[in-house]
Amino acid sequence: AIAVRDGAYDRAAAIADDRGARMNPLLQGLTSGWAAVGAGDYDAALQAFDALDQNETLATYGQYHKALALALAGDFAAAAALLDGEDGTPLHVNRAAMIAHIASLSQSDQAERALDMAELALSDGLADRQMVALRDTLSAGQPVAFDVVGSASEGAAMVFSVIGSALSRDDASRFSLIYARLATLIWDGYDEARILAANVLYDQGQYDLAITAFAEIEPASPWHLSAEVGRAEAMQRAGRAEEAIEVLSSLSREVPGELSVLTGLGDIYRANERFEDANGAYTRALDLIETETRSHWVLYYYRGITRERSDQWDGAEADFRRALELNPDQPLVLNYLGYSLVELRRNFEEAQAMIEKAVEQRPEDGYITDSLGWVRYRIGKYEEAVPHLERAVELVPIDPIINDHLGDVFWKVGRKLEAEFQWRRALSFDPDPEEAERIRRKLDVGLDIVLEEEAADASVGATAQDDG
C-alpha cells in the first residue's frame, strides 16, 4: 500500500509477486495488474487481470478490474463489453461497477443503453443523488464522464477496499478495518473506503470513533447522505438520540426527496418509542416511491410496527399484509403478524401457519420459535407448546418475555415450581414495568387467578363501553 501510494509501482509489483508472502490471491493478482498499469505496461496489466481464473469469484473481479483499466486507458467500448458480462449477466459486483458500466456505455456512443441501465438502477431502488444525476445527464443528451477510477493508485485502493468489504464480518472485522484504512492511505479521497471503516467501527460498538469517521465525508461526496444516516445511527447507539434526530431532521429538510434519510429518521424515532413520529417519517418515505418493488417491504413492516405499538391495529395489519404482498415469505413479517394475531386472539389457524413458515426459514431464531410455542399456548395445546418455548429460552436465554411465556406454559401443564422459577428469571431480566407487575402478581397468587382477574376486568370494561 505504501509503495503504491508513493508511486513506486515496480516495488509494489515485486511485493505482490513474492510467492513466499502467501498473499491473498485476489489481492496479489489485482494489485499486480494495477502496478503494471502504473508502470505504463498495459499488456502486462491485462494479462495479470486475465490470470485470475482459478474460480468464479477471482475471474469476476479480474474482469471487472480489467474493464476499469481499459476505461482508464480510454478504450470505453472494450470496457463496456467486459462489463456486459456473459449470458446477459452484467459484472455489477457493486455500485461502482454499475456506474462504471453506465459511463463506459455513454463514452462509447451507447447512450440509449446507458440511460436504460440508469433507469433500471433507479427502478430497483438505487435512488441516490449520483444515479439520479447520471440519469438526468443522459436524458439531456449529454455524455457521462468516466470518473470511477482516475489513476493506477486509485485502482489499487479499490482492491484493498474490496478485500476489506469481504472481511467485514464477525471476528474478521479487525482485518476489514485495516484494509479500509490502507485503501484511504493510498487514496485519501476514497469515501467508499471511509464508509467501510466507519461501518466496521459501528459494528464493533466503537460508536464515538464511527461518528468521527462518518463526519469525514464532505457534503459534496455522493456518499454524504449515507454517511449522515450512519452518523445519526451511531449517535443513537451512543445514547445521543436527540442529536441523531436533529441530524436527520435537518437533512430531510435539505433533501426532502431522499428515501434513506426519512427511513433512517423513522428508525431512530421507532427505537426511542416515538411511534407517531416514526409513523409520519415512514409515511413520507412511502409517499416518495413511484413504483414499489420487493425491497420496499421493509418500510411497510416498520410502519406496521409503529402503528401496532400505537394501537392503530387496522393500519398495522394492512401494512404487514402489504409487506407480504411484496415479499411473501419474509420471516420477520410472518412472525410479527402471526404473533400479533395470536395476542388479539384472532385467526389462530392463519397465525399458526404464518409462524410455522417463519420457523422453517429461521429455526435458530429464538423469538420466532417463541411465537410458535405461544400460538399453541393460546389455543390450549399446552403440552405441544412446552418444547418450543424451552427451545426459545435456549436460543435467547435472557429475554424476559420468552422466560415469562415458558413460566406460563409450565404452570398450565402442572410444573408449578418450574413456572415460578421462570417467572423469577423473567423479573431478573428487567421487563417493562407493566409486565413486571403482572409477573409479581402471578408469583403471589398463581397464573389461574391472574387470568380470572384479567377476564373480569375485560368484562367490566366491555360492559362500561356498551353502557356508554
Side-chain angles (χ1 to χ4, degrees):
I2 292 170
V4 170
R5 181 200 63 183
D6 293 345
Y9 294 111
D10 289 342
R11 180 156 53 92
I15 295 169
D17 292 337
D18 180 3
R19 302 300 175 179
R22 300 177 62 83
M23 191 176 292
N24 177 291
L26 185 63
L27 181 64
Q28 185 274 327
L30 295 180
T31 305
S32 294
W34 284 110
V37 171
D41 191 346
Y42 267 83
D43 288 338
L46 300 184
Q47 289 174 15
F49 293 132
D50 283 335
L52 285 165
D53 59 359
Q54 295 90 332
N55 60 51
E56 184 177 353
T57 298
L58 291 177
T60 297
Y61 277 97
Q63 294 306 292
Y64 168 47
H65 280 260
K66 180 181 178 180
L68 294 177
L70 287 167
L72 181 62
D75 192 348
F76 296 109
L82 273 179
L83 291 167
D84 283 340
E86 298 178 358
D87 303 323
T89 304
L91 295 182
H92 292 171
V93 298
N94 54 27
R95 173 182 175 278
M98 186 181 299
I99 291 173
H101 199 176
I102 291 169
S104 296
L105 288 169
S106 172
Q107 291 291 325
S108 57
D109 298 323
Q110 301 181 68
E112 187 173 341
R113 285 191 61 207
L115 178 58
D116 288 344
M117 192 169 293
E119 294 281 12
L120 179 61
L122 291 171
S123 69
D124 285 344
L126 190 62
D128 60 54
R129 289 186 294 175
Q130 186 178 17
M131 188 62 68
V132 171
L134 291 177
R135 189 270 314 274
D136 292 346
T137 298
L138 292 164
S139 296
Q142 300 297 317
V144 170
F146 182 89
D147 58 4
V148 174
V149 57
S151 66
S153 62
E154 291 181 6
M158 294 174 73
V159 178
F160 282 85
S161 181
V162 76
I163 298 292
S165 294
L167 294 172
S168 59
R169 61 181 68 88
D170 301 332
D171 61 342
S173 66
R174 62 190 184 280
F175 298 114
S176 175
L177 186 59
I178 291 170
Y179 278 100
R181 295 301 197 195
L182 289 174
T184 57
L185 172 76
I186 297 169
W187 179 8
D188 185 59
Y190 193 13
D191 287 341
E192 185 172 359
R194 293 189 186 283
I195 289 283
L196 172 60
N199 283 327
V200 171
L201 291 166
Y202 176 90
D203 291 340
Q204 292 178 344
Q206 300 192 67
Y207 301 121
D208 289 338
L209 289 175
I211 291 166
T212 300
F214 282 123
E216 293 174 353
I217 310 297
E218 297 292 336
S221 170
W223 292 95
H224 178 63
L225 289 181
S226 296
E228 287 296 273
V229 172
R231 185 164 72 98
E233 290 173 349
M235 286 177 170
Q236 156 68 21
R237 290 299 187 95
R240 297 160 57 182
E242 290 305 316
E243 291 178 69
I245 290 168
E246 179 55 34
V247 166
L248 293 186
S249 295
S250 297
L251 199 59
S252 70
R253 291 189 291 270
E254 293 173 19
V255 281
E258 189 60 43
L259 191 68
S260 63
V261 174
L262 290 171
T263 302
L265 183 59
D267 292 346
I268 292 174
Y269 279 137
R270 179 168 52 86
N272 288 277
E273 299 187 357
R274 291 175 57 173
F275 298 119
E276 290 294 341
D277 290 328
N279 185 4
Y282 291 134
T283 298
R284 287 162 60 198
L286 285 165
D287 288 343
L288 294 173
I289 301 170
E290 295 181 4
T291 303
E292 291 180 347
T293 66
R294 180 185 178 91
S295 66
H296 294 128
W297 70 269
V298 71
L299 282 172
Y300 283 101
Y301 172 59
Y302 286 154
R303 190 174 70 171
I305 291 173
T306 66
R307 288 177 167 179
E308 183 270 333
R309 294 298 302 275
S310 52
D311 297 323
Q312 301 177 48
W313 173 247
D314 289 343
E317 183 175 12
D319 279 345
F320 292 139
R321 294 193 183 278
R322 178 55 183 158
L324 289 175
E325 289 175 6
L326 294 171
N327 192 352
D329 295 327
Q330 218 299 317
L332 295 177
V333 185
L334 289 169
N335 179 61
Y336 204 109
L337 177 55
Y339 184 87
S340 297
L341 291 172
V342 170
E343 287 295 274
L344 292 167
R345 293 169 172 76
R346 290 173 46 189
N347 303 6
F348 282 123
E349 187 173 336
E350 180 189 25
Q352 182 170 329
M354 287 179 174
I355 296 168
E356 286 174 348
K357 186 182 291 186
V359 171
E360 287 175 10
Q361 297 177 74
R362 295 195 175 183
E364 300 302 309
D365 188 311
Y367 297 101
I368 297 178
T369 302
D370 169 72
S371 297
L372 186 58
W374 197 239
V375 70
R376 282 165 167 73
Y377 170 89
R378 284 298 195 196
I379 61 178
K381 295 183 178 180
Y382 305 122
E383 293 290 351
E384 292 182 20
V386 170
H388 297 296
L389 291 171
E390 287 180 323
R391 175 61 177 156
V393 167
E394 289 177 8
L395 292 168
V396 192
I398 62 171
D399 184 86
I401 293 176
I402 294 177
N403 279 277
D404 184 35
H405 285 174
L406 181 56
D408 285 6
V409 77
F410 275 161
W411 182 275
K412 286 295 188 180
V413 297
R415 297 163 61 175
K416 296 187 176 181
L417 287 177
E418 291 171 274
E420 291 174 358
F421 174 78
Q422 290 302 142
W423 290 334
R424 289 192 176 90
R425 273 180 57 83
L427 280 176
S428 73
F429 299 134
D430 194 27
D432 291 338
E434 186 176 343
E435 289 296 324
E437 183 179 352
R438 185 175 187 270
I439 293 170
R440 291 189 187 95
R441 182 62 178 163
K442 287 188 289 188
L443 285 167
D444 287 341
V445 299
L447 176 61
D448 298 330
I449 292 177
V450 169
L451 294 175
E452 290 172 5
E453 291 172 346
E454 290 172 347
D457 290 342
S459 177
V460 170
T463 302
Q465 188 174 21
D466 291 342
D467 291 343

